Amino acid sequence: MALVTIAVPVYNVGKYLEQCLDSIVNQTVFADLELLLVDDNSTDNSSEIINEYCCRYSNVFGFKNQRNLGSSESRNLALNHAKGKFIYFLDGDDLLKTNECIEKLIGSDSDNNDLIVARMLRWYPETDNYEEGYHASYQNTPEFTQKTIEEVPNFYRHVCGTNMLIKLNFLRKYDIYYSSIIKKFEDDLFTFKLQSLASGIAFRHIDCYLHRQHRQSKMNLNVVYDYQDCLYVIKEAAKFIKNQPQAPENYSRYFLDCQFNRLRNYFQNTK
């Protein structure tokens, strides 16, 4: 069994895909990894690049959606096929910062943690500069292991599913998948469920995930997102809290407050 499955949803990122995949195959523990590439019906050369890497490496496997379904469905497809002890999600235009990222992320205490979180950086490829812009509340948090979310309140703001190892049998035990109903905030709902139910969370001070910043990226623009997706997140989170009495009360309240604040900002900005 592979130690880690790395799942990469791919849609029209042929321009960047080889750099992403090379950052994976150059990992020191690549022989112990399984790489699943899900082509979301790309119209560029992404599928040719995927086929090339599948032919070159025996632990790289490609899948293709017959129509464009979105990144959530592509990640869920990879989840259903994953055979690793852990799964790690990486978008096809992003990359791992160093060749030792996954090895250091695993560490010696992986058996005792359902989630192992690293640091994510904004990456500006034109200047090769990095910015610690993500989840600043924990950038200076000391490393820890085997904690619940209630024990590390600084992590309340951590709402990204793409810079952590997730234990696969934990995901399957609770039947946690990405929502295919929404196009925005799907990471919020996914990570809220993960952190609510995880019996052990670890944090490593490792700069692991580089999130490429595009000139036209939504991450660079002051975009007001679709309020209907936010309403869906609130509804599903409330349903989850009701059905999972072990969901931590303080964390649940914080999460819902954040979603309501997002709604409030939306309507204030659209007056």
Side-chain angles (χ1 to χ4, degrees), residues 185-234:
F185 316 129
E186 70 279 6
D187 262 351
D188 294 44
L189 188 58
F190 181 73
T191 311
F192 169 66
K193 294 178 179 180
L194 293 180
Q195 295 194 147
S196 294
L197 297 174
S199 60
I201 303 173
F203 172 58
R204 315 269 198 244
H205 262 295
I206 303 167
D207 292 335
C208 190
Y209 193 108
L210 297 185
H211 180 52
R212 184 188 299 268
Q213 300 299 291
H214 301 282
R215 285 185 175 181
Q216 299 302 319
S217 172
K218 288 182 293 186
M219 301 299 294
N220 290 330
L221 302 174
N222 184 23
V223 176
V224 178
Y225 293 111
D226 189 345
Y227 76 93
Q228 292 181 335
D229 283 357
C230 188
L231 284 173
Y232 179 86
V233 169
I234 292 171

Side-chain angles (χ1 to χ4, degrees), residues 71-73 75-76 79 89 160-162 166 176-181 186-191 194:
S71 60
S72 291
E73 288 282 22
R75 289 169 180 167
N76 289 340
L79 262 175
F89 294 105
C160 186
T162 53
I166 310 168
I176 301 174
Y177 287 89
Y178 277 91
S179 171
S180 60
I181 305 297
E186 70 279 6
D187 262 351
D188 294 44
L189 188 58
F190 181 73
T191 311
L194 293 180

Side-chain angles (χ1 to χ4, degrees), residues 1-2 4-7 34-38 59 61-65 73-87 89 168 171-172 177:
M1 181 179 74
V4 176
T5 297
I6 297 184
E34 171 190 57
L35 175 54
L36 305 186
L37 309 174
V38 183
N59 53 343
F61 306 92
F63 303 87
K64 184 167 185 174
N65 296 329
E73 288 282 22
S74 296
R75 289 169 180 167
N76 289 340
L77 176 63
L79 262 175
N80 286 330
H81 288 275
K83 297 178 181 177
K85 182 176 179 180
F86 290 89
I87 190 165
F89 294 105
L168 202 58
L171 279 172
R172 289 173 175 163
Y177 287 89

Side-chain angles (χ1 to χ4, degrees), residues 89-180:
F89 294 105
L90 179 67
D91 288 342
D93 54 347
D94 297 333
L95 61 153
L96 300 173
K97 188 173 188 292
T98 70
N99 295 344
E100 298 82 25
C101 280
I102 299 299
E103 182 179 6
K104 291 180 178 179
L105 198 52
I106 295 167
S108 60
D109 56 350
S110 60
D111 287 343
N112 303 317
N113 291 290
D114 294 321
L115 308 176
I116 305 175
V117 184
R119 291 163 29 121
M120 175 187 282
L121 301 177
R122 290 190 179 101
W123 175 47
Y124 299 87
E126 293 181 353
T127 58
D128 199 30
N129 288 329
Y130 310 104
E131 182 180 89
E132 290 188 349
Y134 288 99
H135 319 301
S137 61
Y138 73 68
Q139 296 293 5
N140 297 316
T141 300
E143 290 194 353
F144 59 79
T145 185
Q146 292 179 258
K147 300 287 188 181
T148 65
I149 189 62
E150 290 284 73
E151 294 178 282
V152 283
N154 279 354
F155 261 56
Y156 281 11
R157 295 186 62 188
H158 175 65
V159 289
C160 186
T162 53
N163 65 329
M164 67 173 85
L165 290 177
I166 310 168
K167 193 170 285 184
L168 202 58
N169 63 8
F170 162 70
L171 279 172
R172 289 173 175 163
K173 175 182 177 181
Y174 292 105
D175 199 30
I176 301 174
Y177 287 89
Y178 277 91
S179 171
S180 60

